[in-house]
Amino acid sequence: MNQHSLRRLVYATLLATLATPLTVQAQAKAAPPIDGIIGKLQAFDGKTLDVATSSGVVHVVVKGHLTTYKQVSSDLSHVAAAPYIGVASAEQDGKQVAKQIFIFPMELRGAAEGSVLTDPPGASSHSRMTNGSVSRPAGSHSRMTNGTVQNSNGTTLVVNYQDGSQTISVPPGVPVTEVVPQQVTFTPGDAVYATTKKLPDGTLVTDKIFQFVPAAASH
């Protein structure tokens, strides 16, 4: 898997914070951003991990009790009340259409916060938060949006983040997964997100790691 494919997978898989406008007018505030890194796991020994990111390999030290997370199957009925969501979407007919939705727990509120294109500059198609193997029409634009649900009506979502919001259409049958604490066996090559803090000496430390898995395998 090359770096462009990895960025597309990761942004599309994790950084997709769901925003579906339901009739509920929650007007939730944007979540304070959580520092973190996302990329392809190179090595993990329980005490340290090396993650290949778009800017190079990053070394992180596990500090304190480590909590690991993975995805379990969920549904749209849990989206409106979610503390934080991620949405992988693709542009179709001038609007963002959800391809996958992630419901994050309160302690990950603010992870990968924002809305970003996930394909490399100059590519013919652009993803904002599109999950790995999702196919898109040529010229479509995909992105990954992480934030809090402002409102939802079951067919449309509005996701708030620090510097704006994103309205996303939600088609029937879109996969929804909940990110939950669970023991994970990590393997080199896994797509992972680790929250990070920088110590005064520059060392990055983490106590939370999320393993991304394809929608079809996340049940």
Side-chain angles (χ1 to χ4, degrees), residues 165-200:
S165 65
Q166 182 72 46
T167 299
I168 305 171
S169 294
V170 181
V174 63
V176 180
T177 58
E178 183 178 3
V179 177
V180 298
Q182 194 169 115
Q183 186 171 352
V184 176
T185 299
F186 292 104
T187 302
D190 286 349
V192 298
Y193 172 82
T195 64
T196 58
K197 291 183 180 180
K198 182 178 287 188
L199 300 182

Side-chain angles (χ1 to χ4, degrees), residues 1 6 9-10 39-43 50 186-192 211-212:
M1 178 180 290
L6 174 62
L9 166 66
V10 173
K40 183 178 180 181
L41 186 66
Q42 301 294 291
D50 294 318
F186 292 104
T187 302
D190 286 349
V192 298
Q211 178 193 51
F212 301 106

Side-chain angles (χ1 to χ4, degrees), residues 17 37 44 64 69 76 88 95 114 116 187 198 210:
T17 303
I37 59 168
F44 177 70
Y69 299 82
L76 286 172
K95 62 184 179 181
V116 297
T187 302
K198 182 178 287 188
F210 169 35

Side-chain angles (χ1 to χ4, degrees), residues 27-187:
Q27 299 296 326
K29 293 183 179 180
I34 294 176
D35 290 336
I37 59 168
I38 188 166
K40 183 178 180 181
L41 186 66
Q42 301 294 291
F44 177 70
D45 62 7
K47 297 180 179 179
T48 64
L49 62 154
D50 294 318
V51 181
T53 72
S54 58
S55 58
V57 175
V58 178
H59 184 71
V60 184
V61 176
V62 174
K63 184 176 179 63
H65 174 72
L66 177 65
T67 303
T68 58
Y69 299 82
K70 66 188 311 181
Q71 298 151 233
V72 298
S73 182
S74 187
D75 57 61
L76 286 172
S77 67
H78 295 92
V79 170
Y84 192 71
I85 62 171
V87 180
S89 64
E91 184 177 327
Q92 296 178 13
D93 299 325
K95 62 184 179 181
Q96 290 295 319
V97 178
K99 298 300 181 183
Q100 187 169 5
I101 295 168
F102 302 83
I103 299 174
F104 292 95
M106 181 61 74
E107 65 267 28
L108 291 180
R109 190 174 187 266
E113 187 261 5
S115 184
V116 297
L117 289 170
T118 60
D119 286 329
S124 60
S125 63
H126 303 279
S127 298
R128 282 213 176 247
M129 171 213 165
T130 306
N131 206 349
S133 61
V134 174
S135 60
R136 307 182 295 279
S140 65
H141 301 273
S142 301
R143 76 168 49 234
M144 154 93 200
T145 304
N146 287 358
T148 56
V149 178
Q150 177 179 326
N151 55 48
S152 170
N153 59 19
T155 59
T156 306
L157 312 172
V158 174
V159 180
N160 283 347
Y161 44 91
Q162 282 293 310
D163 56 356
S165 65
Q166 182 72 46
T167 299
I168 305 171
S169 294
V170 181
V174 63
V176 180
T177 58
E178 183 178 3
V179 177
V180 298
Q182 194 169 115
Q183 186 171 352
V184 176
T185 299
F186 292 104
T187 302

